Amino acid sequence: MIKGGNAFVPTVPLRIAVRNGVDVAVLLLTEQGRVRGDGDIVFHGAPVHPSGAVRLLGEESGTVWLEAGLTAVEGEIARVLVVGSTETGSMRDVPGLSVEAFAPDGTSVARYEVTDAGGETAMVLGELYRRAGGWKFRAVGQGYVNGLAGLATDHGVDVADHAPAAPAQAQPPAPVPFQPPAGAAQAPVPFQAPAPAPQQPPAPAPFQPPAPAPFQPPAPAPFQPPAPLPFQPPAGMPPSVPAAAVPQPVPQPAAPQPAPDWTFGPVFEPYTQTGRDGEVITVNGLPPGPVVVDLAVDAKDAYTGLWPLTRFNKEESSLINSTEDNFRGRVIAMVPDNGRLRLRLRADGPWRLQVQPLAAARRLTEADMEGFGPDVLLHTGGTADFAIRYRGSENLIIYVYELAGHDDPTTLPDVGSSVNEIGRRRETVPLPEGPVVVHLMMADGPWQARLKDLEPHSAGPTYGGGAPATFPEVLPEPGKVQNWLRRGRR
């Protein structure tokens, strides 16, 4: 998997391996991209999340293992970040830096090797995030030159004013003047003048110097009981931990909710099918109208094509026409009035196809969004400019559908604006107020996109396209955060 790539993973307890010799932490984030409190940071000093859904299992030969019980992740949590950091050198100095997720049977379901690390000392290696009623893994590779402090601040952790704690502990020299009273003749002198001074240091003197040590001894105590080390050599052995790791499954929403302010089109349970090589795929019982088809094919030096079929089994215009290795992409297909979608797939290798409601597509914001291949994006804010940087060598085709005033959910309006270019380039497309669908119909290569000059929606803050202003921000307790940020290597 390349940086920015993503793929569905099974909603089961996943074992995740982080290599090679880095410190590992996990941040559980809400839809707003923030932790709710100190408990949402899992690291060697707090190796088990309060819900039991995420836990550090142990370390062996430079590989840190953790478990993410996806069925037990609380409903408020939308993303689970896997973070790596180093105390010596930078991330570029870590050989074989990678993150890999395994199903309970030991099958690798996602793997990302970091090949472009730089001078940063902390990095979000990958993340698990909710999508269309299930979970996906994304290869992130976002580094922070300012280390864990910068990474933590970006995700709602308040790390200000914690630094003074360390200097206060570096005052043990006070006990030195306390030893001269060995001479009896001068005993009155040291006890009269310095008497008030030694009276205060004695208490902190024995306890301040070892301040970092009291933090680490408690860590191994809760860290060792899970006793997962026997599991680590055979990454896929399921019987040892799963029952303990996933205590109480939390009911998950039956339908995807990635864009709560998106109202166009029905929401339904996604349909998933897997197979190998060419196939004709039939999905019955779908609501008529536009849907998202998410396709992933694992094949190199191969062709991938996808066509909708008419009721007479005639191919219509292709939805996908690509020679990219390991194709990944999302396109829009139209379900006919009878609710029966038929697709002809041409592929050379194993594949996974999922039909999703339009509401399951990613939503555009002013934050950078990365992708590879065709995609379907939603815009719900006010007027804005859609800026995209395309680094592929083939066609870049973008269609924009303005849905405001379009009341028929079984059709899409005519294309409002479009881009049709070839090769690497930067494009900026003006967008009207949402709801708007931006369809990257063809994009065989990596791209990065975001909104610029975003204005408030005329209908009010409901269509703001960002985090609600009334979101109750919960800052974590400073004590544990401080310990995490200045933790020692295990």
Side-chain angles (χ1 to χ4, degrees):
M1 184 177 291
I2 65 170
K3 183 175 181 178
N6 62 81
F8 276 96
V9 295
T11 306
V12 295
L14 297 179
R15 310 292 171 79
I16 299 176
V18 179
R19 308 175 180 95
N20 196 10
V22 294
D23 292 317
V24 176
V26 181
L27 273 60
L28 286 81
L29 309 180
T30 63
E31 191 70 44
Q32 287 72 30
R34 305 171 70 86
V35 297
R36 299 167 299 178
D38 211 10
D40 285 341
I41 304 171
V42 178
F43 64 111
H44 73 266
V48 181
H49 188 263
S51 68
V54 177
R55 61 181 64 208
L56 289 176
L57 298 178
E59 178 181 353
E60 183 180 64
S61 302
T63 298
V64 176
W65 289 89
L66 59 96
E67 182 168 74
L70 298 183
T71 57
V73 176
E74 299 161 293
E76 294 178 63
I77 299 301
R79 299 162 58 198
V80 179
L81 269 58
V82 179
V83 173
S85 63
T86 179
E87 291 185 299
T88 58
S90 60
M91 300 302 282
R92 73 159 67 92
D93 302 321
V94 179
L97 180 60
S98 68
V99 57
E100 185 169 10
F102 296 87
D105 63 358
T107 302
S108 175
V109 295
R111 176 180 172 84
Y112 169 47
E113 294 184 10
V114 181
T115 58
D116 59 349
E120 58 268 4
T121 57
M123 176 179 287
V124 178
L125 299 171
E127 68 171 340
L128 295 160
Y129 62 103
R130 297 185 189 274
R131 177 56 55 89
W135 287 87
K136 276 192 164 187
F137 175 89
R138 176 182 288 122
V140 180
Q142 180 181 357
Y144 289 79
V145 177
N146 51 353
L148 286 177
L151 187 153
T153 301
D154 272 5
H155 297 97
V157 181
D158 185 5
V159 298
D161 300 327
H162 293 314
Q169 298 163 5
Q171 298 179 357
V176 177
F178 186 74
Q179 293 179 0
Q186 297 183 0
V189 178
F191 278 92
Q192 272 185 333
Q199 292 284 343
Q200 293 176 356
F207 295 92
Q208 294 281 34
F215 168 73
Q216 289 186 356
F223 186 82
Q224 300 289 6
L229 291 179
F231 156 77
Q232 292 160 14
M237 183 182 296
S240 56
V241 180
V246 189
Q248 297 179 355
V250 178
Q252 300 298 327
Q257 299 178 337
D261 51 6
W262 186 263
T263 57
F264 183 84
V267 174
F268 56 88
E269 191 71 22
Y271 169 86
T272 303
Q273 183 172 332
T274 59
R276 185 179 183 89
D277 302 333
E279 183 66 273
V280 173
I281 300 161
T282 302
V283 188
N284 293 305
L286 293 172
V291 294
V292 176
V293 177
D294 189 330
L295 177 64
V297 180
D298 291 330
K300 293 185 177 181
D301 301 322
Y303 172 78
T304 300
L306 186 69
W307 298 264
L309 297 176
T310 69
R311 64 190 182 96
F312 301 109
N313 273 352
K314 300 296 184 180
E315 293 179 0
E316 297 186 295
S317 297
S318 64
L319 301 177
I320 295 172
N321 182 18
S322 174
T323 57
E324 289 293 317
D325 292 346
N326 298 321
F327 175 85
R328 302 288 188 274
R330 304 176 191 87
V331 294
I332 293 177
M334 299 299 296
V335 179
D337 292 339
N338 62 7
R340 189 168 186 250
L341 177 64
R342 282 174 54 80
L343 302 168
R344 183 193 175 192
L345 172 64
R346 180 178 168 185
D348 295 312
W351 50 265
R352 183 181 191 276
L353 182 143
Q354 186 171 68
V355 179
Q356 308 167 350
L358 202 57
R362 288 195 287 175
R363 184 167 55 171
L364 286 164
T365 69
E366 292 176 291
D368 285 335
M369 172 188 294
E370 293 185 343
F372 190 104
D375 211 334
V376 181
L377 310 174
L378 309 182
H379 170 52
T380 59
T383 59
D385 294 332
F386 171 70
I388 183 170
R389 180 185 179 188
Y390 175 61
R391 299 192 295 276
S393 59
E394 304 296 332
N395 290 71
L396 172 65
I397 300 178
I398 303 174
Y399 289 164
V400 176
Y401 299 97
E402 181 179 358
L403 298 179
H406 184 76
D407 299 326
D408 183 4
T410 66
T411 64
L412 284 174
D414 294 336
V415 175
S417 59
S418 64
V419 172
N420 190 342
E421 302 290 347
I422 297 177
R424 301 167 66 98
R425 62 188 305 102
R426 297 174 186 264
E427 290 287 343
T428 301
V429 181
L431 298 181
E433 287 191 331
V436 170
V437 175
V438 178
H439 185 193
L440 277 64
M441 186 175 179
M442 186 174 290
D444 280 352
W447 51 265
Q448 187 176 57
R450 70 182 182 92
L451 295 180
K452 299 193 304 183
D453 298 326
L454 175 62
E455 296 292 330
H457 200 287
S458 61
T462 304
Y463 287 88
T470 56
F471 174 69
E473 182 176 305
V474 180
L475 294 179
E477 305 165 21
K480 183 180 288 188
V481 172
Q482 179 182 0
N483 288 336
W484 172 49
L485 295 175
R486 64 178 188 180
R487 80 280 174 273
R489 286 182 72 85
R490 291 188 357 91

PDB file of all heavy atoms in Angstrom, residues 467-484:
ATOM      1  N   ALA A 467     -16.271  21.015  11.618  1.00  0.00           N
ATOM      2  CA  ALA A 467     -16.734  20.595  12.931  1.00  0.00           C
ATOM      3  C   ALA A 467     -17.728  21.608  13.481  1.00  0.00           C
ATOM      4  O   ALA A 467     -17.524  22.810  13.372  1.00  0.00           O
ATOM      5  CB  ALA A 467     -15.549  20.472  13.890  1.00  0.00           C
ATOM      6  N   PRO A 468     -18.863  21.155  14.055  1.00  0.00           N
ATOM      7  CA  PRO A 468     -19.826  22.080  14.625  1.00  0.00           C
ATOM      8  C   PRO A 468     -19.184  22.944  15.696  1.00  0.00           C
ATOM      9  O   PRO A 468     -18.396  22.485  16.504  1.00  0.00           O
ATOM     10  CB  PRO A 468     -20.883  21.141  15.240  1.00  0.00           C
ATOM     11  CG  PRO A 468     -20.707  19.837  14.529  1.00  0.00           C
ATOM     12  CD  PRO A 468     -19.255  19.757  14.195  1.00  0.00           C
ATOM     13  N   ALA A 469     -19.545  24.226  15.709  1.00  0.00           N
ATOM     14  CA  ALA A 469     -18.943  25.157  16.649  1.00  0.00           C
ATOM     15  C   ALA A 469     -19.310  24.830  18.084  1.00  0.00           C
ATOM     16  O   ALA A 469     -18.634  25.209  19.019  1.00  0.00           O
ATOM     17  CB  ALA A 469     -19.383  26.585  16.309  1.00  0.00           C
ATOM     18  N   THR A 470     -20.432  24.123  18.271  1.00  0.00           N
ATOM     19  CA  THR A 470     -20.890  23.829  19.622  1.00  0.00           C
ATOM     20  C   THR A 470     -20.345  22.514  20.158  1.00  0.00           C
ATOM     21  O   THR A 470     -20.781  22.035  21.172  1.00  0.00           O
ATOM     22  CB  THR A 470     -22.428  23.766  19.637  1.00  0.00           C
ATOM     23  OG1 THR A 470     -22.862  22.790  18.676  1.00  0.00           O
ATOM     24  CG2 THR A 470     -23.023  25.116  19.252  1.00  0.00           C
ATOM     25  N   PHE A 471     -19.397  21.930  19.454  1.00  0.00           N
ATOM     26  CA  PHE A 471     -18.835  20.653  19.905  1.00  0.00           C
ATOM     27  C   PHE A 471     -18.226  20.794  21.286  1.00  0.00           C
ATOM     28  O   PHE A 471     -17.376  21.640  21.527  1.00  0.00           O
ATOM     29  CB  PHE A 471     -17.756  20.179  18.924  1.00  0.00           C
ATOM     30  CG  PHE A 471     -17.045  18.943  19.405  1.00  0.00           C
ATOM     31  CD1 PHE A 471     -17.696  17.726  19.456  1.00  0.00           C
ATOM     32  CD2 PHE A 471     -15.728  19.013  19.824  1.00  0.00           C
ATOM     33  CE1 PHE A 471     -17.033  16.599  19.896  1.00  0.00           C
ATOM     34  CE2 PHE A 471     -15.062  17.881  20.262  1.00  0.00           C
ATOM     35  CZ  PHE A 471     -15.728  16.690  20.299  1.00  0.00           C
ATOM     36  N   PRO A 472     -18.669  19.990  22.271  1.00  0.00           N
ATOM     37  CA  PRO A 472     -18.149  20.105  23.639  1.00  0.00           C
ATOM     38  C   PRO A 472     -16.728  19.570  23.727  1.00  0.00           C
ATOM     39  O   PRO A 472     -16.496  18.371  23.739  1.00  0.00           O
ATOM     40  CB  PRO A 472     -19.113  19.237  24.454  1.00  0.00           C
ATOM     41  CG  PRO A 472     -19.660  18.259  23.474  1.00  0.00           C
ATOM     42  CD  PRO A 472     -19.677  18.945  22.147  1.00  0.00           C
ATOM     43  N   GLU A 473     -15.775  20.466  23.759  1.00  0.00           N
ATOM     44  CA  GLU A 473     -14.373  20.063  23.774  1.00  0.00           C
ATOM     45  C   GLU A 473     -13.973  19.552  25.150  1.00  0.00           C
ATOM     46  O   GLU A 473     -14.160  20.218  26.159  1.00  0.00           O
ATOM     47  CB  GLU A 473     -13.519  21.261  23.386  1.00  0.00           C
ATOM     48  CG  GLU A 473     -12.048  20.963  23.325  1.00  0.00           C
ATOM     49  CD  GLU A 473     -11.271  22.174  22.838  1.00  0.00           C
ATOM     50  OE1 GLU A 473     -11.593  22.676  21.765  1.00  0.00           O
ATOM     51  OE2 GLU A 473     -10.368  22.621  23.562  1.00  0.00           O
ATOM     52  N   VAL A 474     -13.430  18.349  25.209  1.00  0.00           N
ATOM     53  CA  VAL A 474     -12.981  17.751  26.465  1.00  0.00           C
ATOM     54  C   VAL A 474     -11.468  17.615  26.401  1.00  0.00           C
ATOM     55  O   VAL A 474     -10.942  16.848  25.606  1.00  0.00           O
ATOM     56  CB  VAL A 474     -13.632  16.369  26.686  1.00  0.00           C
ATOM     57  CG1 VAL A 474     -13.152  15.775  27.990  1.00  0.00           C
ATOM     58  CG2 VAL A 474     -15.147  16.496  26.667  1.00  0.00           C
ATOM     59  N   LEU A 475     -10.769  18.385  27.233  1.00  0.00           N
ATOM     60  CA  LEU A 475      -9.316  18.323  27.232  1.00  0.00           C
ATOM     61  C   LEU A 475      -8.840  17.229  28.175  1.00  0.00           C
ATOM     62  O   LEU A 475      -9.421  17.011  29.242  1.00  0.00           O
ATOM     63  CB  LEU A 475      -8.729  19.666  27.680  1.00  0.00           C
ATOM     64  CG  LEU A 475      -8.990  20.829  26.729  1.00  0.00           C
ATOM     65  CD1 LEU A 475      -8.384  22.102  27.295  1.00  0.00           C
ATOM     66  CD2 LEU A 475      -8.410  20.552  25.355  1.00  0.00           C
ATOM     67  N   PRO A 476      -7.788  16.533  27.823  1.00  0.00           N
ATOM     68  CA  PRO A 476      -7.284  15.451  28.672  1.00  0.00           C
ATOM     69  C   PRO A 476      -6.610  15.971  29.920  1.00  0.00           C
ATOM     70  O   PRO A 476      -6.198  17.121  29.994  1.00  0.00           O
ATOM     71  CB  PRO A 476      -6.272  14.746  27.765  1.00  0.00           C
ATOM     72  CG  PRO A 476      -5.846  15.788  26.803  1.00  0.00           C
ATOM     73  CD  PRO A 476      -7.025  16.689  26.599  1.00  0.00           C
ATOM     74  N   GLU A 477      -6.511  15.105  30.914  1.00  0.00           N
ATOM     75  CA  GLU A 477      -5.818  15.464  32.139  1.00  0.00           C
ATOM     76  C   GLU A 477      -4.339  15.647  31.844  1.00  0.00           C
ATOM     77  O   GLU A 477      -3.733  14.844  31.151  1.00  0.00           O
ATOM     78  CB  GLU A 477      -5.999  14.351  33.170  1.00  0.00           C
ATOM     79  CG  GLU A 477      -7.471  14.029  33.430  1.00  0.00           C
ATOM     80  CD  GLU A 477      -7.606  12.718  34.150  1.00  0.00           C
ATOM     81  OE1 GLU A 477      -6.617  12.290  34.780  1.00  0.00           O
ATOM     82  OE2 GLU A 477      -8.687  12.116  34.079  1.00  0.00           O
ATOM     83  N   PRO A 478      -3.720  16.719  32.378  1.00  0.00           N
ATOM     84  CA  PRO A 478      -2.330  16.992  32.019  1.00  0.00           C
ATOM     85  C   PRO A 478      -1.335  15.978  32.548  1.00  0.00           C
ATOM     86  O   PRO A 478      -0.310  15.762  31.965  1.00  0.00           O
ATOM     87  CB  PRO A 478      -2.083  18.377  32.623  1.00  0.00           C
ATOM     88  CG  PRO A 478      -3.097  18.502  33.725  1.00  0.00           C
ATOM     89  CD  PRO A 478      -4.299  17.743  33.260  1.00  0.00           C
ATOM     90  N   GLY A 479      -1.629  15.330  33.660  1.00  0.00           N
ATOM     91  CA  GLY A 479      -0.645  14.449  34.273  1.00  0.00           C
ATOM     92  C   GLY A 479      -0.203  13.319  33.374  1.00  0.00           C
ATOM     93  O   GLY A 479       0.969  13.113  33.119  1.00  0.00           O
ATOM     94  N   LYS A 480      -1.175  12.574  32.842  1.00  0.00           N
ATOM     95  CA  LYS A 480      -0.813  11.428  32.015  1.00  0.00           C
ATOM     96  C   LYS A 480      -0.219  11.873  30.692  1.00  0.00           C
ATOM     97  O   LYS A 480       0.682  11.238  30.154  1.00  0.00           O
ATOM     98  CB  LYS A 480      -2.039  10.556  31.771  1.00  0.00           C
ATOM     99  CG  LYS A 480      -1.706   9.299  30.983  1.00  0.00           C
ATOM    100  CD  LYS A 480      -2.908   8.426  30.747  1.00  0.00           C
ATOM    101  CE  LYS A 480      -3.376   7.741  31.990  1.00  0.00           C
ATOM    102  NZ  LYS A 480      -4.431   6.754  31.736  1.00  0.00           N
ATOM    103  N   VAL A 481      -0.742  12.964  30.147  1.00  0.00           N
ATOM    104  CA  VAL A 481      -0.188  13.471  28.891  1.00  0.00           C
ATOM    105  C   VAL A 481       1.273  13.813  29.072  1.00  0.00           C
ATOM    106  O   VAL A 481       2.125  13.496  28.235  1.00  0.00           O
ATOM    107  CB  VAL A 481      -0.971  14.708  28.417  1.00  0.00           C
ATOM    108  CG1 VAL A 481      -0.270  15.343  27.233  1.00  0.00           C
ATOM    109  CG2 VAL A 481      -2.387  14.325  28.053  1.00  0.00           C
ATOM    110  N   GLN A 482       1.602  14.454  30.187  1.00  0.00           N
ATOM    111  CA  GLN A 482       2.999  14.815  30.434  1.00  0.00           C
ATOM    112  C   GLN A 482       3.867  13.566  30.482  1.00  0.00           C
ATOM    113  O   GLN A 482       4.946  13.511  29.902  1.00  0.00           O
ATOM    114  CB  GLN A 482       3.093  15.576  31.754  1.00  0.00           C
ATOM    115  CG  GLN A 482       4.526  15.981  32.110  1.00  0.00           C
ATOM    116  CD  GLN A 482       4.591  16.688  33.435  1.00  0.00           C
ATOM    117  OE1 GLN A 482       3.579  16.876  34.080  1.00  0.00           O
ATOM    118  NE2 GLN A 482       5.772  17.074  33.846  1.00  0.00           N
ATOM    119  N   ASN A 483       3.376  12.529  31.147  1.00  0.00           N
ATOM    120  CA  ASN A 483       4.154  11.295  31.235  1.00  0.00           C
ATOM    121  C   ASN A 483       4.334  10.645  29.876  1.00  0.00           C
ATOM    122  O   ASN A 483       5.374  10.077  29.575  1.00  0.00           O
ATOM    123  CB  ASN A 483       3.449  10.319  32.190  1.00  0.00           C
ATOM    124  CG  ASN A 483       3.559  10.769  33.631  1.00  0.00           C
ATOM    125  OD1 ASN A 483       4.474  11.495  33.981  1.00  0.00           O
ATOM    126  ND2 ASN A 483       2.606  10.352  34.443  1.00  0.00           N
ATOM    127  N   TRP A 484       3.290  10.706  29.054  1.00  0.00           N
ATOM    128  CA  TRP A 484       3.400  10.116  27.717  1.00  0.00           C
ATOM    129  C   TRP A 484       4.438  10.852  26.894  1.00  0.00           C
ATOM    130  O   TRP A 484       5.272  10.254  26.229  1.00  0.00           O
ATOM    131  CB  TRP A 484       2.040  10.169  27.021  1.00  0.00           C
ATOM    132  CG  TRP A 484       2.087   9.762  25.580  1.00  0.00           C
ATOM    133  CD1 TRP A 484       2.675   8.657  25.059  1.00  0.00           C
ATOM    134  CD2 TRP A 484       1.526  10.476  24.476  1.00  0.00           C
ATOM    135  NE1 TRP A 484       2.506   8.620  23.696  1.00  0.00           N
ATOM    136  CE2 TRP A 484       1.807   9.710  23.312  1.00  0.00           C
ATOM    137  CE3 TRP A 484       0.796  11.662  24.342  1.00  0.00           C
ATOM    138  CZ2 TRP A 484       1.383  10.122  22.045  1.00  0.00           C
ATOM    139  CZ3 TRP A 484       0.378  12.055  23.091  1.00  0.00           C
ATOM    140  CH2 TRP A 484       0.678  11.297  21.965  1.00  0.00           C
TER     141      TRP A 484
END
